[in-house]
Coordinates of all heavy atoms in Angstrom, one line a residue:
M124 N -17.1 0.0 24.4 CA -17.2 0.3 23.0 C -15.8 0.2 22.4 O -14.8 0.7 22.9 CB -17.8 1.6 22.7 CG -18.0 1.9 21.3 SD -18.7 3.5 21.0 CE -19.9 3.2 19.8
S125 N -15.7 -0.4 21.2 CA -14.4 -0.5 20.5 C -14.0 0.8 19.9 O -14.8 1.6 19.5 CB -14.5 -1.5 19.4 OG -14.7 -2.8 19.9
S126 N -12.7 1.0 19.8 CA -12.2 2.2 19.2 C -12.3 2.1 17.7 O -12.4 1.0 17.1 CB -10.7 2.4 19.5 OG -9.9 1.5 18.9
I127 N -12.3 3.2 17.0 CA -12.4 3.2 15.5 C -11.2 2.4 14.9 O -11.4 1.7 13.9 CB -12.5 4.6 14.9 CG1 -12.8 4.6 13.4 CG2 -11.2 5.4 15.2 CD1 -14.2 4.2 13.1
T128 N -10.1 2.4 15.5 CA -8.9 1.7 15.1 C -9.2 0.2 15.2 O -8.9 -0.6 14.2 CB -7.7 2.1 15.9 OG1 -7.5 3.5 15.8 CG2 -6.4 1.3 15.3
E129 N -9.8 -0.3 16.2 CA -10.1 -1.7 16.4 C -11.1 -2.1 15.4 O -11.0 -3.2 14.8 CB -10.5 -2.0 17.9 CG -10.9 -3.4 18.1 CD -9.7 -4.4 18.0 OE1 -8.6 -4.0 17.9 OE2 -10.0 -5.6 17.9
I130 N -12.1 -1.3 15.2 CA -13.2 -1.7 14.3 C -12.6 -1.8 12.9 O -12.9 -2.7 12.1 CB -14.3 -0.6 14.3 CG1 -15.1 -0.7 15.6 CG2 -15.3 -0.8 13.1 CD1 -16.0 0.4 15.9
A131 N -11.7 -0.8 12.5 CA -11.1 -0.9 11.2 C -10.2 -2.1 11.0 O -10.3 -2.8 10.0 CB -10.3 0.4 11.0
R132 N -9.5 -2.5 12.1 CA -8.7 -3.7 12.0 C -9.5 -4.9 11.8 O -9.2 -5.8 11.0 CB -7.8 -3.8 13.3 CG -6.8 -5.0 13.2 CD -6.2 -5.3 14.5 NE -7.1 -5.7 15.5 CZ -7.7 -6.9 15.5 NH1 -7.4 -7.8 14.6 NH2 -8.5 -7.2 16.5
V133 N -10.6 -5.1 12.6 CA -11.5 -6.2 12.5 C -12.1 -6.3 11.1 O -12.2 -7.4 10.5 CB -12.5 -6.2 13.6 CG1 -13.5 -7.4 13.4 CG2 -11.8 -6.3 14.9
F134 N -12.6 -5.2 10.6 CA -13.1 -5.1 9.2 C -12.1 -5.6 8.2 O -12.3 -6.4 7.3 CB -13.6 -3.7 8.8 CG -13.9 -3.6 7.4 CD1 -15.0 -4.1 6.8 CD2 -12.9 -3.0 6.5 CE1 -15.2 -4.1 5.4 CE2 -13.1 -2.9 5.2 CZ -14.3 -3.4 4.6
F135 N -10.9 -5.0 8.3 CA -9.8 -5.3 7.3 C -9.5 -6.8 7.3 O -9.4 -7.4 6.3 CB -8.5 -4.5 7.7 CG -7.4 -4.8 6.8 CD1 -7.3 -4.2 5.6 CD2 -6.4 -5.7 7.2 CE1 -6.2 -4.5 4.7 CE2 -5.3 -6.0 6.4 CZ -5.2 -5.4 5.1
E136 N -9.4 -7.4 8.5 CA -9.1 -8.8 8.6 C -10.2 -9.6 8.0 O -9.9 -10.6 7.3 CB -8.8 -9.2 10.0 CG -7.4 -8.7 10.4 CD -6.8 -9.5 11.6 OE1 -7.3 -10.5 11.9 OE2 -5.7 -9.0 12.0
A137 N -11.4 -9.3 8.3 CA -12.6 -10.0 7.7 C -12.6 -9.9 6.2 O -12.8 -10.9 5.5 CB -13.9 -9.5 8.3
C138 N -12.4 -8.7 5.7 CA -12.4 -8.5 4.3 C -11.3 -9.2 3.6 O -11.5 -9.9 2.6 CB -12.4 -7.0 4.0 SG -12.4 -6.6 2.2
E139 N -10.1 -9.0 4.1 CA -8.9 -9.5 3.4 C -8.7 -11.0 3.6 O -7.7 -11.5 3.1 CB -7.7 -8.7 3.8 CG -7.8 -7.2 3.4 CD -7.9 -7.0 1.9 OE1 -7.2 -7.6 1.2 OE2 -8.8 -6.2 1.6
T140 N -9.5 -11.6 4.4 CA -9.4 -13.1 4.5 C -10.6 -13.8 3.9 O -10.9 -15.0 4.1 CB -9.2 -13.5 6.0 OG1 -10.3 -13.0 6.8 CG2 -7.9 -13.0 6.6
G141 N -11.4 -13.0 3.1 CA -12.5 -13.6 2.3 C -13.8 -13.9 3.1 O -14.5 -14.8 2.7
K142 N -14.1 -13.2 4.1 CA -15.3 -13.4 4.8 C -16.6 -12.9 4.1 O -17.7 -13.2 4.5 CB -15.3 -12.8 6.2 CG -14.1 -13.3 7.1 CD -14.2 -14.8 7.4 CE -13.1 -15.2 8.3 NZ -12.2 -16.2 7.9
G143 N -16.4 -12.1 3.1 CA -17.5 -11.6 2.3 C -18.3 -10.5 3.1 O -17.9 -10.1 4.2
W144 N -19.4 -10.2 2.5 CA -20.2 -9.1 3.1 C -20.8 -9.6 4.4 O -21.0 -8.8 5.3 CB -21.3 -8.7 2.1 CG -22.1 -7.5 2.6 CD1 -23.5 -7.5 2.8 CD2 -21.7 -6.2 2.9 NE1 -23.9 -6.3 3.2 CE2 -22.8 -5.5 3.3 CE3 -20.4 -5.6 2.8 CZ2 -22.7 -4.1 3.6 CZ3 -20.4 -4.3 3.2 CH2 -21.5 -3.5 3.6
E145 N -21.1 -10.9 4.5 CA -21.7 -11.5 5.7 C -20.7 -11.2 6.9 O -21.2 -10.9 8.0 CB -21.9 -12.9 5.6 CG -22.6 -13.6 6.7 CD -23.0 -15.0 6.5 OE1 -23.3 -15.4 5.4 OE2 -22.9 -15.8 7.5
G146 N -19.4 -11.3 6.7 CA -18.5 -11.1 7.7 C -18.0 -9.7 7.9 O -17.4 -9.4 8.9
C147 N -18.4 -8.8 7.0 CA -17.9 -7.4 7.1 C -19.1 -6.4 7.3 O -18.8 -5.3 7.7 CB -17.2 -7.1 5.8 SG -15.8 -8.0 5.4
S148 N -20.3 -6.8 7.0 CA -21.4 -5.8 7.0 C -21.6 -5.1 8.3 O -22.0 -3.9 8.3 CB -22.7 -6.4 6.5 OG -23.1 -7.4 7.4
E149 N -21.3 -5.7 9.4 CA -21.6 -5.1 10.7 C -20.7 -3.9 11.0 O -20.9 -3.1 11.9 CB -21.5 -6.1 11.8 CG -20.2 -6.6 12.1 CD -20.2 -7.7 13.2 OE1 -20.2 -7.3 14.4 OE2 -20.1 -8.9 12.9
Y150 N -19.6 -3.8 10.2 CA -18.6 -2.7 10.4 C -18.8 -1.6 9.4 O -18.0 -0.7 9.3 CB -17.2 -3.3 10.3 CG -17.0 -4.5 11.2 CD1 -16.9 -5.7 10.6 CD2 -17.0 -4.3 12.6 CE1 -16.7 -6.8 11.4 CE2 -16.8 -5.4 13.4 CZ -16.7 -6.7 12.8 OH -16.5 -7.8 13.6
C151 N -19.9 -1.6 8.5 CA -20.0 -0.7 7.4 C -21.5 -0.2 7.3 O -22.4 -0.9 7.8 CB -19.7 -1.4 6.1 SG -18.2 -2.3 6.1
T152 N -21.7 0.9 6.6 CA -23.0 1.2 6.3 C -23.4 0.5 5.0 O -22.6 0.1 4.2 CB -23.1 2.8 6.0 OG1 -22.3 3.1 4.9 CG2 -22.8 3.6 7.3
T153 N -24.7 0.2 4.8 CA -25.2 -0.6 3.7 C -24.9 0.1 2.4 O -24.8 -0.6 1.3 CB -26.7 -0.9 3.8 OG1 -27.4 0.3 3.9 CG2 -26.9 -1.7 5.0
D154 N -24.7 1.4 2.3 CA -24.5 2.1 1.1 C -23.1 2.6 0.9 O -22.8 3.4 0.1 CB -25.5 3.3 1.0 CG -25.3 4.3 2.1 OD1 -24.6 4.0 3.1 OD2 -25.8 5.4 2.0
A155 N -22.2 1.9 1.6 CA -20.7 2.3 1.5 C -20.2 2.1 0.1 O -20.5 1.1 -0.5 CB -19.9 1.5 2.5
T156 N -19.6 3.1 -0.5 CA -19.0 3.0 -1.8 C -17.6 2.5 -1.8 O -16.9 2.5 -0.8 CB -19.1 4.4 -2.5 OG1 -18.3 5.3 -1.8 CG2 -20.5 4.8 -2.6
F157 N -17.1 2.1 -3.0 CA -15.8 1.6 -3.2 C -15.2 2.1 -4.5 O -16.0 2.2 -5.5 CB -15.8 0.1 -3.1 CG -14.5 -0.5 -3.4 CD1 -13.5 -0.7 -2.4 CD2 -14.1 -0.9 -4.7 CE1 -12.3 -1.3 -2.7 CE2 -12.9 -1.5 -5.0 CZ -12.0 -1.7 -4.0
S158 N -14.0 2.4 -4.6 CA -13.3 2.7 -5.9 C -11.9 2.2 -5.8 O -11.3 2.2 -4.7 CB -13.4 4.2 -6.2 OG -12.7 4.9 -5.3
A159 N -11.4 1.9 -6.9 CA -10.0 1.4 -7.1 C -9.5 1.8 -8.5 O -10.3 1.8 -9.4 CB -9.9 -0.1 -6.8
Q160 N -8.2 1.9 -8.6 CA -7.6 2.2 -9.9 C -7.2 0.9 -10.6 O -6.8 0.9 -11.8 CB -6.4 3.1 -9.8 CG -6.8 4.5 -9.4 CD -5.7 5.4 -9.2 OE1 -4.5 5.0 -9.0 NE2 -5.9 6.7 -9.2
A161 N -7.3 -0.2 -9.9 CA -6.9 -1.5 -10.4 C -8.0 -2.0 -11.5 O -9.2 -2.0 -11.2 CB -6.8 -2.6 -9.3
E162 N -7.5 -2.4 -12.6 CA -8.4 -2.8 -13.7 C -9.4 -3.9 -13.3 O -10.6 -3.8 -13.6 CB -7.6 -3.2 -14.9 CG -8.5 -3.6 -16.1 CD -9.3 -2.4 -16.7 OE1 -8.8 -1.3 -16.6 OE2 -10.4 -2.7 -17.2
P163 N -9.0 -4.9 -12.6 CA -9.9 -6.0 -12.2 C -11.1 -5.5 -11.4 O -12.1 -6.1 -11.3 CB -9.1 -7.0 -11.5 CG -7.7 -6.8 -11.9 CD -7.6 -5.3 -12.2
L164 N -10.9 -4.4 -10.7 CA -11.9 -3.8 -9.8 C -12.7 -2.6 -10.4 O -13.4 -2.0 -9.7 CB -11.3 -3.4 -8.5 CG -10.7 -4.6 -7.7 CD1 -9.8 -4.1 -6.5 CD2 -11.8 -5.5 -7.2
A165 N -12.5 -2.3 -11.7 CA -13.0 -1.1 -12.3 C -14.5 -1.1 -12.2 O -15.1 0.0 -12.1 CB -12.6 -1.1 -13.7
D166 N -15.2 -2.2 -12.2 CA -16.7 -2.2 -12.2 C -17.2 -2.4 -10.8 O -18.5 -2.4 -10.6 CB -17.2 -3.4 -13.1 CG -16.9 -3.1 -14.6 OD1 -16.8 -1.9 -15.0 OD2 -16.8 -4.1 -15.3
V167 N -16.4 -2.5 -9.8 CA -16.9 -2.7 -8.4 C -17.1 -1.3 -7.8 O -16.1 -0.5 -7.7 CB -15.9 -3.5 -7.6 CG1 -16.3 -3.6 -6.1 CG2 -15.6 -4.9 -8.2
K168 N -18.3 -1.0 -7.4 CA -18.6 0.4 -7.0 C -19.1 0.4 -5.5 O -19.3 1.5 -5.0 CB -19.7 1.0 -7.9 CG -19.4 1.0 -9.3 CD -18.2 1.9 -9.6 CE -17.9 2.0 -11.1 NZ -16.6 2.5 -11.4
S169 N -19.3 -0.7 -4.9 CA -19.7 -0.7 -3.5 C -18.8 -1.5 -2.6 O -18.1 -2.4 -3.1 CB -21.1 -1.3 -3.4 OG -21.1 -2.7 -3.7
L170 N -18.8 -1.2 -1.4 CA -17.9 -2.0 -0.4 C -18.4 -3.4 -0.3 O -17.7 -4.3 -0.2 CB -17.9 -1.3 0.9 CG -16.8 -1.7 1.9 CD1 -15.5 -1.7 1.3 CD2 -16.9 -0.9 3.2
E171 N -19.8 -3.6 -0.4 CA -20.3 -4.9 -0.4 C -19.8 -5.7 -1.6 O -19.3 -6.9 -1.5 CB -21.8 -4.9 -0.5 CG -22.5 -6.2 -0.5 CD -24.0 -6.2 -0.6 OE1 -24.6 -5.1 -0.6 OE2 -24.6 -7.3 -0.6
G172 N -19.7 -5.1 -2.8 CA -19.2 -5.7 -4.0 C -17.7 -6.1 -3.8 O -17.3 -7.2 -4.2
Y173 N -16.9 -5.2 -3.2 CA -15.5 -5.5 -3.0 C -15.3 -6.7 -2.0 O -14.5 -7.6 -2.2 CB -14.8 -4.3 -2.4 CG -13.3 -4.6 -2.2 CD1 -12.4 -5.0 -3.2 CD2 -12.8 -4.6 -0.8 CE1 -11.1 -5.3 -2.9 CE2 -11.5 -4.9 -0.6 CZ -10.6 -5.3 -1.6 OH -9.3 -5.6 -1.4
T174 N -16.1 -6.7 -0.9 CA -15.9 -7.8 0.0 C -16.3 -9.1 -0.6 O -15.7 -10.2 -0.3 CB -16.8 -7.6 1.3 OG1 -18.1 -7.5 1.0 CG2 -16.3 -6.3 2.1
E175 N -17.3 -9.1 -1.5 CA -17.7 -10.3 -2.2 C -16.7 -10.7 -3.2 O -16.5 -11.9 -3.5 CB -19.1 -10.2 -2.8 CG -20.2 -10.2 -1.8 CD -20.3 -11.5 -1.0 OE1 -20.4 -12.6 -1.6 OE2 -20.3 -11.4 0.3
W176 N -16.1 -9.7 -3.9 CA -15.0 -10.0 -4.8 C -13.8 -10.7 -4.1 O -13.3 -11.6 -4.6 CB -14.5 -8.7 -5.4 CG -13.6 -8.8 -6.6 CD1 -13.8 -8.9 -7.9 CD2 -12.1 -8.7 -6.4 NE1 -12.6 -9.0 -8.6 CE2 -11.6 -8.9 -7.7 CE3 -11.2 -8.6 -5.4 CZ2 -10.2 -8.9 -8.0 CZ3 -9.9 -8.6 -5.6 CH2 -9.4 -8.7 -6.9
M177 N -13.5 -10.2 -2.9 CA -12.4 -10.8 -2.1 C -12.8 -12.2 -1.7 O -12.0 -13.1 -1.8 CB -12.1 -10.0 -0.9 CG -11.3 -8.7 -1.2 SD -9.7 -9.0 -1.9 CE -8.9 -9.8 -0.6
K178 N -14.0 -12.4 -1.4 CA -14.5 -13.8 -1.0 C -14.3 -14.7 -2.2 O -13.8 -15.9 -2.1 CB -16.0 -13.7 -0.6 CG -16.5 -15.0 -0.2 CD -18.0 -14.8 0.3 CE -18.6 -16.2 0.6 NZ -20.0 -15.9 1.0
A179 N -14.7 -14.3 -3.4 CA -14.6 -15.1 -4.6 C -13.1 -15.3 -4.9 O -12.8 -16.4 -5.4 CB -15.2 -14.4 -5.8
L180 N -12.2 -14.4 -4.6 CA -10.8 -14.6 -4.9 C -10.3 -15.8 -4.1 O -9.5 -16.6 -4.6 CB -10.0 -13.3 -4.5 CG -8.5 -13.4 -4.6 CD1 -8.2 -13.3 -6.1 CD2 -7.9 -12.2 -3.9
Y181 N -10.8 -15.9 -2.9 CA -10.3 -17.1 -2.0 C -10.9 -18.4 -2.5 O -10.4 -19.5 -2.1 CB -10.7 -16.8 -0.6 CG -9.7 -16.0 0.1 CD1 -9.7 -14.6 0.1 CD2 -8.6 -16.6 0.9 CE1 -8.7 -13.8 0.7 CE2 -7.7 -15.8 1.5 CZ -7.7 -14.5 1.4 OH -6.8 -13.7 2.0
A182 N -11.9 -18.4 -3.3 CA -12.4 -19.6 -3.9 C -11.4 -20.3 -4.8 O -11.3 -21.5 -4.8 CB -13.7 -19.4 -4.7
F183 N -10.6 -19.5 -5.5 CA -9.6 -20.1 -6.4 C -8.2 -19.9 -6.0 O -7.2 -20.4 -6.5 CB -9.8 -19.7 -7.9 CG -9.5 -18.3 -8.2 CD1 -8.3 -17.9 -8.6 CD2 -10.5 -17.3 -8.1 CE1 -8.0 -16.6 -8.9 CE2 -10.2 -16.0 -8.4 CZ -9.0 -15.6 -8.8
M184 N -8.0 -19.1 -4.9 CA -6.7 -18.9 -4.3 C -6.8 -19.1 -2.8 O -6.7 -18.1 -2.0 CB -6.2 -17.5 -4.6 CG -5.9 -17.3 -6.1 SD -5.3 -15.6 -6.5 CE -3.9 -15.5 -5.5
P185 N -7.1 -20.3 -2.3 CA -7.4 -20.5 -0.9 C -6.3 -20.2 0.1 O -6.5 -19.9 1.3 CB -7.8 -21.9 -0.8 CG -7.3 -22.6 -2.0 CD -7.2 -21.5 -3.0
N186 N -5.1 -20.2 -0.4 CA -3.9 -19.9 0.4 C -3.4 -18.4 0.3 O -2.3 -18.1 0.8 CB -2.8 -20.8 0.1 CG -3.1 -22.3 0.4 OD1 -3.8 -22.6 1.4 ND2 -2.7 -23.2 -0.4
A187 N -4.2 -17.6 -0.3 CA -3.8 -16.2 -0.4 C -3.8 -15.5 1.0 O -4.3 -16.0 1.9 CB -4.9 -15.4 -1.3
G188 N -3.0 -14.4 1.0 CA -2.9 -13.7 2.3 C -2.6 -12.3 2.0 O -2.1 -11.9 0.9
Y189 N -2.8 -11.4 3.0 CA -2.5 -10.0 2.8 C -1.1 -9.7 3.4 O -0.6 -10.4 4.2 CB -3.6 -9.1 3.4 CG -3.9 -9.3 4.8 CD1 -3.2 -8.5 5.8 CD2 -4.8 -10.2 5.3 CE1 -3.4 -8.6 7.1 CE2 -5.0 -10.3 6.7 CZ -4.4 -9.6 7.6 OH -4.6 -9.7 8.9

């Protein structure tokens, strides 16, 4: 079994490289919430929503990176 640190790292990489909910959902609960103080994310309330927002970001910024 993977450690929580390894699971978090794999989730982070999947999320921050635009894999969307499909690439991240196995590391999260389906009802995981999300919040941020950044204005562009003000209406995003779920982790699923954030992962899909990141995926969309890569559609117009394909060379983005964390």
Side-chain angles (χ1 to χ4, degrees):
M124 181 182 227
S125 298
S126 72
I127 190 72
T128 304
E129 179 63 15
I130 293 167
R132 186 191 63 75
V133 174
F134 166 78
F135 178 82
E136 289 205 4
C138 179
E139 299 299 314
T140 58
K142 304 295 187 238
W144 187 241
E145 185 176 325
C147 298
S148 62
E149 68 181 283
Y150 309 109
C151 312
T152 59
T153 57
D154 60 347
T156 60
F157 174 85
S158 66
Q160 294 178 339
E162 183 64 32
L164 296 167
D166 294 330
V167 178
K168 302 297 181 197
S169 69
L170 195 54
E171 179 179 359
Y173 177 66
T174 61
E175 288 299 308
W176 186 88
M177 286 298 295
K178 181 179 177 179
L180 180 70
Y181 275 85
F183 68 93
M184 294 178 60
N186 296 324
Y189 60 90

